[in-house]
Amino acid sequence: MPAAEKSSAPSGLARELLQLPISIALKSFRLISCAVGIGGIILSYALGIFRLVSSLGLNGHLRAEEREVLDFVSAFQREYGSKRPKFTATDFVDAIWKSRNAYKLLFVYLHSPDHPDTPGFCRRTLCSENFSAFVNENFVAWGESIRTNEGFKAGIRLKATRFPFCAVVVAGPDNTMAVLQRVEGAKSPEEMLMLLQEELEGNACALIAARRKVVERFSLGKQDATLGAIYNANQQRREEKEIVEEAATETKRKSEEEEGTEERRAHEATEEQDILEGKATEAERNDKEDGETLESTVHSFVEKQECLENETAEAERKLEGREEAQDGEKSNTSEEAALARMWQEGALLLGAEPEKGPDITQVLIRFPMGERKERRFYSTANIQSLYDYVESLDILQVGNYRLVSTFPRVVYGSEKVSLSLKEAGLHPQASLFVELNSVKFYAA
């Protein structure tokens, strides 16, 4: 044989293995590897070589499924650039096998070229720097177009109904799988990262434990070859079964949580509907009561107006009395006159006290020395009306004060006097304290 032919021909053992059926060659190599105790890394590498051989025809060409995947990866890179998830160039079944041997979850993307959301999702989410780096670091990625046979079959197997479609898959024994997460519709990079992070954290312990057990299993491979091979095979089957069962349990738990959430939402919607119906009934009853009491309200308003006029006259008399009693104290006259004017103006501005009703606010005001005064106001009245009321009571002898509320503490100072009682959060009832200067007074 010429030298050139010798260099290109495989060795005798390799040639004989290549001539065997692929399934027999794979099982033979696994048995030999376990018997001699070589490590998991060499085993995975060698099995990868045999799978590569199995994907080639007799003339060295790729299978149709793998050629479709390679065409999709090339087209995706031409369209969206090289900053992307590194899709493995195998069919879907081999991608599951690859993720199992890498002890990683499988990230699947099904590409729908005709969907209007596809270009934006690919550019902004799949090809974002943070998301693509996270997927390449922690997952085995596989993608395909649904126009191809391989992509169509994967879509049926994953039950894809809306696009863009992504899924997180955990490999099981004998090329089986469990779907941990389905993501349908366009999502932001942050939403996708959060979903993948949850799945990674939820299954990381099982994957790490499986990898550790496999390493420990191969470290014992130098012992009795036959017993080691049997133990390793049984152990691997148990581990794979545990992974699938854990994934199925997690999927069931999430499904139950989603069902519970839907039930709570339905219950909340029913309660809200009941509340709205109750409010409507209450409004009808209030309208009827308002119509029946309109005449009595008018009569009461006239009476209160007369009382207001009497109060105003009384305030004027008190003011005149104070001015006559304090003629000798010129330094205090101006301040007390100002207070008297404030009381008089407050009484005039208040108007008649309204009757109880849905638009009426009940306000309780407590003074520093323990006095309490209560009055009703329209909810549309502003905070200044409360100051007018305090000044009309002739209780305070100073004008430097402010109204505050506690729990939480809110100061209704000059910047809030234009707010209505409803806008200030005091409707339908409130309790305020009169605070002098920097001294705070609270109820006992």
Side-chain angles (χ1 to χ4, degrees):
M1 180 180 294
E5 294 180 5
K6 287 182 180 180
S7 61
S8 61
S11 63
L13 176 60
R15 183 171 58 253
E16 292 178 2
L17 288 174
L18 291 175
Q19 291 174 353
L20 290 173
I22 294 303
S23 60
I24 297 176
L26 285 173
K27 293 180 180 178
S28 300
F29 196 85
R30 287 195 184 101
L31 180 60
I32 294 170
S33 300
C34 293
V36 300
I38 61 177
I41 298 176
I42 298 176
L43 177 61
S44 299
Y45 179 75
L47 292 177
I49 293 176
F50 277 104
R51 283 194 172 269
L52 178 61
V53 172
S54 69
S55 67
L56 298 175
L58 295 177
N59 58 358
H61 294 292
L62 290 173
R63 291 182 298 160
E65 295 86 352
E66 294 189 341
R67 183 171 297 280
E68 289 176 350
V69 175
L70 282 174
D71 292 342
F72 164 72
V73 174
S74 300
F76 190 92
Q77 182 165 338
R78 287 195 304 270
E79 180 70 21
Y80 301 107
S82 59
K83 188 180 294 183
R84 58 173 177 79
K86 296 179 181 178
F87 299 117
T88 181
T90 62
D91 59 21
F92 184 50
V93 173
D94 283 348
I96 296 174
W97 179 88
K98 185 175 181 180
S99 68
R100 182 183 65 182
N101 285 275
Y103 297 97
K104 291 184 177 182
L105 300 178
L106 178 63
F107 172 77
V108 179
Y109 167 63
L110 296 181
H111 186 75
S112 176
D114 300 326
H115 198 281
D117 294 337
T118 295
F121 177 75
C122 291
R123 289 191 178 90
R124 289 190 293 270
T125 300
L126 287 184
C127 295
S128 69
E129 183 175 357
N130 292 337
F131 179 77
S132 60
F134 181 80
V135 171
N136 294 334
E137 177 70 19
N138 299 285
F139 293 82
V140 173
W142 185 84
E144 179 59 294
S145 173
I146 60 172
R147 289 180 176 176
T148 65
N149 291 332
E150 187 68 12
F152 181 76
K153 290 188 293 184
I156 294 176
R157 193 169 179 181
L158 295 173
K159 299 179 181 179
T161 57
R162 292 177 54 206
F163 296 90
F165 178 85
C166 299
V168 179
V169 174
V170 62
D174 301 328
N175 292 329
T176 60
M177 67 170 188
V179 181
L180 302 179
Q181 180 70 266
R182 291 183 180 86
V183 184
E184 297 179 317
K187 305 289 183 183
S188 66
E190 293 75 14
E191 292 175 316
M192 291 294 296
L193 281 172
M194 183 178 65
L195 293 172
L196 296 188
Q197 184 68 36
E198 290 177 356
E199 295 302 334
L200 192 62
E201 292 175 354
N203 295 274
C205 293
L207 294 174
I208 293 172
R211 185 185 296 113
R212 184 184 299 115
K213 290 179 181 179
V214 170
V215 172
E216 293 174 354
R217 182 177 70 244
F218 281 108
S219 66
L220 300 175
K222 294 182 180 180
Q223 299 178 4
D224 184 76
T226 304
L227 294 177
I230 296 174
Y231 171 80
N232 291 338
N234 292 336
Q235 185 71 9
Q236 184 175 2
R237 283 195 294 270
R238 285 196 297 271
E239 291 167 359
E240 292 171 345
K241 183 179 179 181
E242 289 174 359
I243 293 174
V244 173
E245 289 176 351
E246 290 175 359
T249 301
E250 181 67 16
T251 302
K252 182 178 179 182
R253 183 184 64 79
K254 291 184 177 179
S255 177
E256 291 175 351
E257 290 179 354
E258 291 176 356
E259 291 177 358
T261 301
E262 293 297 330
E263 290 178 358
R264 287 195 299 273
R265 289 177 179 172
H267 181 67
E268 292 174 356
T270 302
E271 290 183 345
E272 185 176 357
Q273 183 65 27
D274 293 340
I275 292 173
L276 292 176
E277 292 176 356
K279 289 183 177 180
T281 303
E282 182 68 19
E284 292 178 358
R285 186 170 59 254
N286 291 336
D287 291 341
K288 183 177 180 181
E289 292 176 354
D290 291 343
E292 294 175 350
T293 58
L294 179 60
E295 294 181 0
S296 60
T297 302
V298 173
H299 180 69
S300 176
F301 177 77
V302 173
E303 292 181 348
K304 289 180 185 277
Q305 188 66 29
E306 294 176 354
C307 293
L308 178 61
E309 293 176 355
N310 295 334
E311 291 177 0
T312 304
E314 183 65 23
E316 292 176 353
R317 287 194 299 272
K318 289 181 179 180
L319 177 60
E320 292 174 357
R322 287 193 183 90
E323 290 176 349
E324 293 175 356
Q326 297 177 359
D327 286 337
E329 301 176 359
K330 295 182 180 180
S331 60
N332 297 328
T333 301
S334 59
E335 180 179 355
E336 293 179 356
L339 289 175
R341 284 194 298 274
M342 288 165 47
W343 295 328
Q344 182 180 7
E345 292 171 357
L348 292 173
L349 291 173
L350 282 175
E353 183 178 6
E355 292 289 337
K356 293 181 179 179
D359 295 326
I360 303 303
T361 302
Q362 189 78 20
V363 180
L364 174 65
I365 298 178
R366 304 182 183 183
F367 291 83
M369 300 308 294
E371 295 93 339
R372 297 186 180 188
K373 295 294 182 178
E374 190 172 8
R375 191 183 192 278
R376 294 183 296 274
F377 297 83
Y378 289 102
S379 61
T380 56
N382 53 28
I383 300 296
Q384 183 61 48
S385 300
L386 303 181
Y387 281 90
D388 295 338
Y389 174 66
V390 171
E391 292 165 1
S392 69
L393 295 175
D394 192 14
I395 294 177
L396 295 176
Q397 299 301 320
V398 294
N400 190 7
Y401 69 95
R402 55 187 178 179
L403 297 176
V404 300
S405 65
T406 57
F407 304 107
R409 174 179 170 80
V410 179
V411 178
Y412 300 95
S414 58
E415 70 280 5
K416 296 184 179 181
V417 294
S418 61
L419 295 177
S420 69
L421 301 183
K422 193 169 187 178
E423 291 171 344
L426 300 177
H427 182 73
Q429 61 182 7
S431 179
L432 302 176
F433 299 85
V434 175
E435 185 178 277
L436 304 179
N437 295 328
S438 61
V439 181
K440 303 173 184 177
F441 296 89
Y442 301 94

